[in-house]
Amino acid sequence: MPDSPHSAYPHIFEPLDLGFTRLKNRIIMGSMHTGLEEHRNGFERMAAFYAERAQGEVGLIVTGGVAPNRQGWVSPFSIKLTTSSEARKHQLITNAVHQHQGKIVMQILHAGRYGYHPLCVAPSRIKSPISKFTPRKMSQRGIRRTIKHYIRCAALAQEAGYDGVEIMGSEGYLINEFLVPHTNKRSDEWGGSYENRMRFALEIVSGIRQMAGPEFIIVYRLSMLDLVPNGSTWEEVVMLAKEIEKAGANIINTGIGWHEARVPTIATMVPNGGFSWVTARMKKEVSIPLITTNRINSPEQAEELLKSGAADMISMARPFLADAHLVAKAKSGPQHNINTCIGCNQACLDHLFSGKTASCLVNPRACHETLWNVQPSTTPKNVAVVGGGPAGMACASILAERGHQVTLFESAHTLGGQFRMACEIPGKQDFKETIRYFSRRLVESGAQVVTNKRVEATDLTAFDEVVLASGVTPRTPSIPGVDHEKVLSYPDVLLHKKPVGKRVAIIGAGGIGFDVAEFLLQQEHQEIPEFMAEWGVDMEYKNRGGLLDKPNVEAPPREIYLLQRSTGKPGGKLGKTTGWIHRASIRNHGVKTITGVEYLQISDDGIEIRYADKVDLLRVDNIVICAGQTSETSLTKGLKDLNINFHIIGGARLAGELDAKRAISEGMELGARI
Ligand code: FAD
Ligand code: NAP
Ligand code: SF4
């Protein structure tokens, strides 16, 4: 290992020499569709987005997936690259990245049967469980034509100035569909034996190498663990990797899990670096560099994985939404103040799945770089921010950075507000990072933070501006017996750690009800082997797809009832891309959900409820109330009486539909405006 000027992370900052080109460090920004691809002015916005990450010194950027033809669209009219005029638009991106000495490869993605449109095609006519469109079976001529389209797409990427391409061969998209008997039932030269099933992938890679010459980066994203029944065996995965190397790829990236897999692969409850064991297993099989990926979100983990020899490069995708300057900041060693991706999916993937532009809960500026440029204040003021939850922390830090004199008051002994309780939930331990990040930003910006101070309106008379970010208070529903000693609030359980019995009823099946159920079931964050066993992943890789015959779920420590008054699906409003995981988790642990409940009374015996036209007594030791919140606005009357104007943000403004995403973005927007 050569001496590195960045001794805290010497492996990260060791350049990677590919012979014809050199990557300046071992961190790659993984491919992410942002929604800008199809946006008006999308190329200008993507150019600014990628340029900022290049300026942040990432070693290599991979763009979001670009289709090689219309059949390969992810959705109707999504981005494709089939003509020189389209290639010219991409030059905005490549020029912007190269101006900052960055390197960028374009991902070629043919969605196959995941294409959400009627033109979608696949090796066989088998519908995916996550799409309503049945694909058309590709003819032999169609297959040959599609290979040519991949090569044409790579040629146009080269014309557009990209340093190379990444060929998307994983996550269950077209190339992956050819590889496995799950989706390939063909009996011609493209199906049957593994040699035949591999042919499509290999002809694409060798065709692109032949067309592009030796000085063009080819990354192949290889599905190392399909996590679907009838997926690849480990032996097949290894054979493919060796053949891909021979076909001319420079780097192999790790793909984990098809989109239809029922195993969480990137959500917050996946242990950090939880799937790197798969890449490590491949290390001894090929000689070209390997990239490992999935839930790696800090330089510490990246360094550790590189040092252990698990991989040659680390891919992080969402962490670059959270912080464009992750790599540059890592140069300052463990004292860095990186804004850590907390794996929530709330503003990135959940946005995309609801047709919105991606962004980031902890960094709402992500993908909005051209629209959101914060300027120093021309008239610095003396500003009080009341409340140190996500809204208040975000607002106060940006105000202070703009030159205002800011005092942030928090009644608790520490910052974080309701988010402090989120950190207690197993699998949400990374949420602490957000509090750490904003706390440090407050110090660095010169804001004065006053904790243990519950302010009154009279404390605020001397300020030029007042921001009320006093958040929310848990709701106590009016049920007879609600003041019984059996009854606990969620802060009693999560913050004050009051003892909870073996049989529990939770009132309210929203986000917090689900989180409290997980807390009562688990209490500790899982290590990698327990997580894999619980979700049915076979770390010995004996079966096709890397799945166990049966998940190994430990017996739950408690019997839990999760109750709600409405009749809809419990947890129906949880995140689009994570709700299914929470619902599966509590189901696997035997939590009984009851809907359409009327709460009759709480007594020494438990809680009496009516549902489905019957009255039932749930004999429980405790009842935990997770029945939403109301805005904490007790200051407003005093402020009005004293004629003090104030701004109001986050939960204090509106408790309904509140989450940290809204709280932080309202805080930032106001902070940028005053
Ligand atoms: P709060 O967080 O309520 O902060 C308000 C702060 O103001 C508090 O610290 C309070 O002490 C202080 N304060 C109030 N009055 C005064 C006063 N007079 N003087 C001084 N200080 C005062 N959100 C998500 O987006 N994703 C999640 O996964 C998620 N999980 C959660 C899990 C749990 C268990 C909980 C409890 C919440 C979770 N949330 C989650 C919700 C998220 O924490 C809240 O939406 C967010 O904290 C609201 O931010 P806020 O700043 O508006 O209010
Ligand atoms: P919530 O999601 O709105 O759920 C509140 C629950 O309380 C519902 O089940 C509601 O259902 C019930 N309820 C409401 N009023 C009641 C009353 N008077 N009596 C009895 N039950 C009542 O709110 P939350 O769970 O408190 O979460 C707060 C916010 O934090 C949410 O908006 C959420 O976005 C965020 N959060 C997100 C996550 C995540 O994983 N993304 C996790 C935790 C929290 P019924 O009316 O049907 O009974
Ligand atoms: Fe990470 Fe959440 Fe931001 Fe997505 S929204 S990038 S998961 S912190």
Side-chain angles (χ1 to χ4, degrees):
M1 160 89 35
D3 276 352
S4 160
H6 310 295
S7 54
Y9 308 118
H11 294 83
I12 290 181
F13 289 102
E14 188 192 354
L16 181 69
D17 196 348
L18 294 176
F20 60 96
T21 189
R22 212 167 111 102
L23 307 182
K24 58 185 155 199
N25 57 58
R26 301 301 180 106
I27 305 290
I28 168 170
M29 173 175 154
S31 173
M32 285 179 286
H33 187 84
T34 59
L36 294 174
E37 293 80 359
E38 292 79 32
H39 213 282
R40 208 164 53 87
N41 302 332
F43 281 90
E44 285 83 355
R45 289 179 62 180
M46 280 191 282
F49 169 71
Y50 289 122
E52 212 163 282
R53 274 83 195 154
Q55 198 177 14
E57 298 187 35
V58 60
L60 180 66
I61 295 172
V62 187
T63 67
V66 176
N69 58 24
R70 286 193 311 155
Q71 290 78 24
W73 278 336
V74 171
S75 54
F77 305 103
S78 64
I79 190 167
K80 67 172 177 58
L81 179 54
T82 55
T83 63
S84 285
S85 72
E86 286 167 339
R88 275 193 291 282
K89 294 188 196 156
H90 286 258
Q91 284 171 0
L92 278 177
I93 296 175
T94 54
N95 288 338
V97 168
H98 291 152
Q99 262 166 24
H100 294 286
Q101 287 72 50
K103 288 199 164 36
I104 182 161
V105 297
M106 190 194 84
Q107 188 186 73
I108 308 180
L109 180 153
H110 188 303
R113 69 177 192 156
Y114 284 162
Y116 207 72
H117 54 82
L119 304 179
C120 66
V121 293
S124 301
R125 195 174 182 280
I126 306 170
K127 195 176 88 64
S128 104
I130 56 171
S131 172
K132 65 176 186 186
F133 296 98
T134 303
R136 191 167 49 78
K137 178 183 168 184
M138 293 170 87
S139 66
Q140 298 221 36
R141 269 184 55 202
I143 293 173
R144 288 259 161 239
R145 200 169 42 238
T146 305
I147 293 171
K148 283 193 188 132
H149 289 164
Y150 269 92
I151 299 167
R152 176 184 67 190
C153 189
L156 290 167
Q158 200 173 28
E159 191 179 308
Y162 284 105
D163 300 283
V165 288
E166 176 176 81
I167 300 162
M168 175 43 126
S170 65
E171 325 308 274
Y173 292 116
L174 184 68
I175 294 179
N176 217 174
E177 290 161 18
F178 269 93
L179 289 167
V180 302
H182 181 62
T183 39
N184 184 347
K185 311 283 183 198
R186 301 179 76 97
S187 53
D188 56 11
E189 60 176 314
W190 305 99
S193 69
Y194 196 53
E195 282 69 21
N196 283 354
R197 283 183 272 132
M198 274 194 302
R199 181 163 293 124
F200 186 67
L202 298 183
E203 291 206 8
I204 288 168
V205 177
S206 58
I208 292 178
R209 175 55 73 211
Q210 235 179 345
M211 173 282 302
E215 303 201 346
F216 190 60
I217 303 173
I218 299 182
V219 183
Y220 182 86
R221 179 110 174 247
L222 191 146
S223 185
M224 292 197 199
L225 185 68
D226 291 331
L227 299 178
V228 290
N230 234 352
S232 294
T233 62
W234 176 248
E235 292 68 31
E236 288 173 345
V237 171
V238 170
M239 199 191 306
L240 177 66
K242 290 182 172 174
E243 293 300 320
I244 290 288
E245 176 172 5
K246 278 192 227 152
N250 304 96
I251 303 177
I252 292 179
N253 193 357
T254 305
I256 300 287
W258 288 35
H259 287 316
E260 67 202 61
R262 295 286 85 188
V263 179
T265 53
I266 58 165
T268 190
M269 66 288 290
V270 177
N272 293 117
F275 287 96
S276 291
W277 56 272
V278 188
T279 321
R281 207 174 149 134
M282 182 61 83
K283 263 303 282 170
K284 59 181 181 301
E285 308 286 355
V286 289
S287 51
I288 53 174
L290 288 186
I291 303 172
T292 196
T293 179
N294 284 49
R295 274 293 278 145
I296 304 167
N297 62 355
S298 73
E300 288 76 15
Q301 290 153 20
E303 178 67 17
E304 201 47 49
L305 286 164
L306 291 169
K307 189 171 157 197
S308 72
D312 305 283
M313 290 194 84
I314 305 292
S315 171
M316 304 190 201
R318 296 169 301 166
F320 282 97
L321 293 177
D323 199 328
H325 299 278
L326 189 158
V327 178
K329 286 184 182 178
K331 283 189 171 167
S332 56
Q335 297 313 313
H336 63 71
N337 192 26
I338 290 171
N339 193 1
T340 305
C341 163
I342 58 175
C344 64
N345 284 359
Q346 285 175 241
C348 49
L349 286 175
D350 286 350
H351 271 205
L352 286 174
F353 279 84
S354 27
K356 294 190 215 156
T357 305
S359 188
C360 175
L361 179 143
V362 299
N363 175 26
R365 189 167 174 273
C367 303
H368 297 75
E369 286 74 10
T370 55
L371 309 177
W372 194 330
N373 276 307
V374 177
Q375 301 296 334
S377 162
T378 46
T379 46
K381 291 178 176 169
N382 189 6
V383 188
V385 178
V386 182
M393 288 191 297
C395 187
S397 52
I398 203 161
L399 283 169
E401 283 160 4
R402 291 181 53 233
H404 291 297
Q405 191 183 330
V406 178
T407 311
L408 171 65
F409 296 102
E410 169 52 54
S411 59
H413 67 286
T414 176
L415 296 176
Q418 294 269 309
F419 220 54
R420 281 168 59 211
M421 287 180 263
C423 305
E424 299 297 323
I425 306 303
K428 283 193 174 180
Q429 75 286 354
D430 278 357
F431 283 41
K432 286 196 183 81
E433 291 289 301
T434 305
I435 301 176
R436 187 262 310 144
Y437 168 75
F438 279 109
S439 303
R440 171 95 173 267
R441 215 172 135 178
L442 285 164
V443 172
E444 286 174 357
S445 61
Q448 196 195 346
V449 177
V450 183
T451 51
N452 287 315
K453 170 75 182 163
R454 182 161 196 93
V455 287
E456 306 294 334
T458 46
D459 298 317
L460 300 169
T461 50
F463 291 92
D464 302 324
E465 302 270 356
V466 171
V467 176
L468 203 54
S470 47
V472 289
T473 315
R475 175 187 286 125
T476 306
S478 49
I479 302 168
V482 77
D483 48 4
H484 193 281
E485 59 186 6
K486 276 175 182 276
V487 178
L488 300 169
S489 65
Y490 64 82
D492 285 338
V493 175
L494 300 173
L495 269 192
H496 312 309
K497 303 281 157 64
K498 293 206 175 155
V500 182
K502 290 277 178 205
R503 288 169 53 93
V504 184
I506 298 173
I507 292 184
I512 293 177
F514 269 73
D515 274 358
V516 167
E518 301 256 16
F519 176 84
L520 293 175
L521 288 167
Q522 218 174 308
Q523 305 228 345
E524 272 178 23
H525 184 55
Q526 286 177 316
E527 298 299 328
I528 294 170
E530 289 86 61
F531 174 87
M532 296 297 157
E534 177 170 332
W535 289 96
V537 181
D538 178 13
M539 293 181 80
E540 290 178 25
Y541 219 133
K542 287 190 187 135
N543 293 341
R544 279 194 173 275
L547 291 175
L548 292 169
D549 294 330
K550 185 156 111 358
N552 184 4
V553 183
E554 282 187 15
R558 289 193 170 84
E559 192 180 335
I560 298 179
Y561 297 92
L562 187 53
L563 313 173
Q564 70 176 33
R565 297 173 306 175
S566 49
T567 49
K569 176 165 71 174
K573 289 193 191 144
L574 295 175
K576 267 191 183 302
T577 60
T578 51
W580 69 271
I581 305 173
H582 297 293
R583 290 189 292 271
S585 174
I586 63 153
R587 195 171 51 240
N588 294 344
H589 285 100
V591 173
K592 298 182 186 76
T593 50
I594 308 180
T595 60
V597 170
E598 186 187 343
Y599 305 108
L600 299 178
Q601 66 162 332
I602 296 168
S603 66
D604 289 347
D605 295 331
I607 179 166
E608 196 171 54
I609 57 173
R610 189 191 336 256
Y611 67 100
D613 290 334
K614 64 176 181 185
V615 173
D616 199 358
L617 174 67
L618 306 180
R619 294 185 180 278
V620 291
D621 307 313
N622 291 106
I623 292 108
V624 184
I625 300 201
C626 304
Q629 300 90 14
T630 51
S631 294
E632 168 50 58
T633 49
S634 51
L635 271 184
T636 52
K637 183 174 179 307
L639 290 170
K640 282 180 188 157
D641 288 349
L642 292 171
N643 253 337
I644 301 175
N645 284 329
F646 60 91
H647 309 266
I648 185 160
I649 54 174
R653 187 179 70 76
L654 183 67
E657 306 285 312
L658 173 68
D659 59 11
K661 181 179 75 168
R662 171 156 76 77
I664 290 177
S665 89
E666 284 185 17
M668 294 242 163
E669 274 169 32
L670 179 66
R673 212 171 56 230
I674 290 180

